[in-house]
């Protein structure tokens, strides 16, 4: 599906990271496999350290903290936005929506459009799509998009393939109408027939959590996890990304009538450094135009990796000038999506820590 938007813009981006950091060397203490094998994985995948939220910290906690920061800095007023979209796979509760909880905790206005979207790796782009569409309404002038997860709570520390990869984070993006004409091109595809490739089997209504679903099982490669934990078929995900993402980007550029050389940066969801380097090679894009340093510094935070790549790598640039960016998300669903747009100069492009110790 091809999508097109005009006269919409990103006004500011904030990412909120739990202050607790854990190294891969610490993770290794829980693995069954040999240290030598784990260290090889670290080198190839680009693992180093990741940010982990304590078990009692939720997406709404970090979102509220981030929004209060913006209010206190005068970067956003509590009564000036008309919609709050939350993209997450780790809601505070099944019921009510996390967006309503944030609205209530901050005592935001009652005529605020609140919505949760259950999406992961492509969730940031899907949240932008929803935000752009809401701005077509005459009474919606500004949208706040919260995208983030605390998926470390649902990953087994004894799963060498997944645990060192996952990180927790929340992003806050302010979207509004643009006064100048602009063009935003995007596309989106889904294949639910491969949904089991990335899945938490237990915990929903199909298979409720129980003592049985909490039993650790060996996947045959010395990775121990339960049905309550995230399960990822790494080889299948890698093959899916290499097969589907390059033609998706080519189709996007063709639709927009642009060349890859005209793009300042390809800011993609970051599963790991190895996968992004292979993508850059397949697309014949210089690796320095496709940042791949989020996982080694913070971990893979699902729908927050794209805004995190922006705040980590381009904060000064985006606060001072406009960049032509190609964004892409791909993974759980299976879902893959991309977008070509100009971003900047932004009112803010910041990264802050959520003080875990104070909230222990």
């Amino acid at each position: 599906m091809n999508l097109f938007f005009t006269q919409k813009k990103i006004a500011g981006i904030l990412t909120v990271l739990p202050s607790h950091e854990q190294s891969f060397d610490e993770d290794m203490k829980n693995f069954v496999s040999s240290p030598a094998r784990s260290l090889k994985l670290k080198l190839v995948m680009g693992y180093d350290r990741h940010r982990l939220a304590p078990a009692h910290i939720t997406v709404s906690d970090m979102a509220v903290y981030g929004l209060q920061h913006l209010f206190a800095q005068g970067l956003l007023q509590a009564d000036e936005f008309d919609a709050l979209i939350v993209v997450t796979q780790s809601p505070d509760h099944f019921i009510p929506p996390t967006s309503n909880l944030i609205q209530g905790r901050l005592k935001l206005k009652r005529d605020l459009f609140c919505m949760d979207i259950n999406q992961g790796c492509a969730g940031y782009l899907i949240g932008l799509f929803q935000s752009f569409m809401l701005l077509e309404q005459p009474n919606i002038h500004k949208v706040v998009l919260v995208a983030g997860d605390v998926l470390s709570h649902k990953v087994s520390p004894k799963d060498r393939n997944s645990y060192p990869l996952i990180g927790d984070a929340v992003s806050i993006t302010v979207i509004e109408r643009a006064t100048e004409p602009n063009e935003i091109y995007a596309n989106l595809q889904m294949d639910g027939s491969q949904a089991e490739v990335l899945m938490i089997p237990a915990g929903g209504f199909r298979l409720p959590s129980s003592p049985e679903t909490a039993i650790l099982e060996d996947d045959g490669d010395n990775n121990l996890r339960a049905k309550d934990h995230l399960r990822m078929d790494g080889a299948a995900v890698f093959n899916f990304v290499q097969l589907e993402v390059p033609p998706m980007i080519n189709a996007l550029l063709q639709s927009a009538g642009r060349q890859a050389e005209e793009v300042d940066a390809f800011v993609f969801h970051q599963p790991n450094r190895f996968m992004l380097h292979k993508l850059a090679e397949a697309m014949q894009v210089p690796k320095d135009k496709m940042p791949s340093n989020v996982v080694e510094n913070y971990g893979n935070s699902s729908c927050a990796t794209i805004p995190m790549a922006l705040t980590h790598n381009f904060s000064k640039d985006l606060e001072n000038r406009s960049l032509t960016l190609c964004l892409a998300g791909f993974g759980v669903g299976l879902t893959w999506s991309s977008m070509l747009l100009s971003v900047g100069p932004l009112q803010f492009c910041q990264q802050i820590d959520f003080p875990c110790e104070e909230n222990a």
Side-chain angles (χ1 to χ4, degrees):
M1 176 185 293
N2 291 326
L3 300 168
F4 176 78
F5 306 96
T6 186
Q7 291 191 288
K8 312 292 187 297
K9 69 175 184 179
I10 293 174
I13 304 172
L14 175 74
T15 53
V16 184
L17 294 130
S19 59
H20 175 66
E21 183 179 84
Q22 189 162 302
S23 70
F24 185 85
D25 292 342
E26 293 175 270
D27 295 338
M28 282 174 52
K29 298 172 185 177
N30 293 312
F31 301 156
V32 176
S33 59
S34 68
R37 188 175 183 186
S38 296
L39 288 171
K40 182 179 180 181
L41 186 71
K42 173 184 177 180
L43 180 65
V44 172
M45 296 300 182
Y47 300 157
D48 188 18
R49 55 193 183 273
H50 49 160
R51 298 293 187 97
L52 303 175
H56 64 284
I57 298 300
T58 67
V59 164
S60 75
D61 293 328
M62 288 194 282
V64 166
Y65 184 83
L67 286 166
Q68 288 174 330
H69 168 82
L70 294 178
F71 298 159
Q73 297 295 316
L75 299 171
L76 181 68
Q77 303 300 318
D79 60 352
E80 71 172 320
F81 56 97
D82 308 295
L84 174 64
I85 308 300
V86 174
V87 179
T88 186
Q89 298 173 118
S90 46
D92 287 31
H93 307 281
F94 279 143
I95 300 173
T98 303
S99 54
N100 287 65
L101 295 176
I102 295 170
Q103 184 260 358
R105 289 177 61 179
L106 291 172
K107 297 181 171 57
L108 301 175
K109 61 186 182 182
R110 286 189 170 188
D111 61 338
L112 182 72
F113 185 104
C114 292
M115 170 187 262
D116 281 21
I117 299 175
N118 180 1
Q119 263 292 343
C121 311
Y124 185 67
L125 273 69
I126 291 172
L128 289 176
F129 299 159
Q130 183 63 64
S131 301
F132 295 157
M133 288 188 284
L134 283 171
L135 286 168
E136 293 294 329
Q137 294 299 312
N139 291 324
I140 295 182
H141 305 282
K142 187 171 292 192
V143 179
V144 167
L145 169 63
V146 173
D149 272 304
V150 286
L151 281 176
S152 70
H153 301 172
K154 300 297 289 184
V155 182
S156 168
K158 295 182 180 296
D159 186 343
R160 183 192 66 252
N161 284 351
S162 296
Y163 187 75
L165 163 70
I166 296 297
D168 301 322
V170 165
S171 64
I172 298 171
T173 304
V174 177
I175 302 109
E176 58 189 32
R177 295 195 188 100
T179 54
E180 69 282 356
N182 63 357
E183 295 181 338
I184 300 172
Y185 294 86
N187 54 25
L188 171 71
Q189 296 192 55
M190 298 191 179
D191 182 6
S193 69
Q194 299 187 67
E196 74 284 351
V197 168
L198 270 167
M199 178 181 284
I200 300 175
F205 292 112
R206 175 68 64 186
L207 181 61
S209 291
S210 67
E212 288 73 26
T213 64
I215 297 172
L216 292 177
E217 303 168 335
D218 192 330
D219 72 344
D221 195 29
N222 292 324
N223 293 305
L224 303 180
R225 56 180 175 243
K227 290 184 174 65
D228 286 328
H229 293 135
L230 175 71
R231 296 189 173 196
M232 175 175 60
D233 185 337
V237 172
F238 177 83
N239 291 334
F240 148 70
V241 170
Q242 300 302 315
L243 177 66
E244 301 292 354
V245 172
M248 172 182 69
I249 302 301
N250 288 337
L252 176 73
L253 293 172
Q254 184 175 4
S255 176
R258 306 291 288 271
Q259 300 296 318
E261 294 77 12
E262 300 176 67
V263 178
D264 293 310
F266 293 82
V267 186
F268 288 7
H269 167 62
Q270 299 204 10
N272 56 64
R273 186 175 62 200
F274 176 77
M275 191 177 293
L276 286 180
H277 282 183
K278 289 298 182 182
L279 264 183
E281 291 173 7
M283 295 169 52
Q284 298 183 328
V285 169
K287 291 177 183 177
D288 60 358
K289 292 186 71 171
M290 187 182 292
S292 60
N293 53 6
V294 165
V295 168
E296 66 189 81
N297 286 289
Y298 310 110
N300 173 355
S301 53
S302 184
C303 57
T305 61
I306 292 174
M308 193 181 305
L310 293 173
T311 58
H312 180 76
N313 293 288
F314 301 103
S315 60
K316 295 302 181 186
D317 283 334
L318 288 174
E319 287 181 342
N320 291 288
R321 64 190 182 99
S322 176
L323 297 178
T324 299
L325 301 179
C326 177
L327 312 180
F330 35 84
V332 66
L334 292 174
T335 309
W336 57 110
S337 179
S338 62
M339 179 183 294
L340 184 70
L341 76 169
S342 294
V343 180
L346 300 180
Q347 297 171 23
F348 58 91
C349 189
Q350 301 178 0
Q351 189 168 292
I352 63 172
D353 283 354
F354 177 89
C356 295
E357 294 77 13
E358 295 177 15
N359 292 273

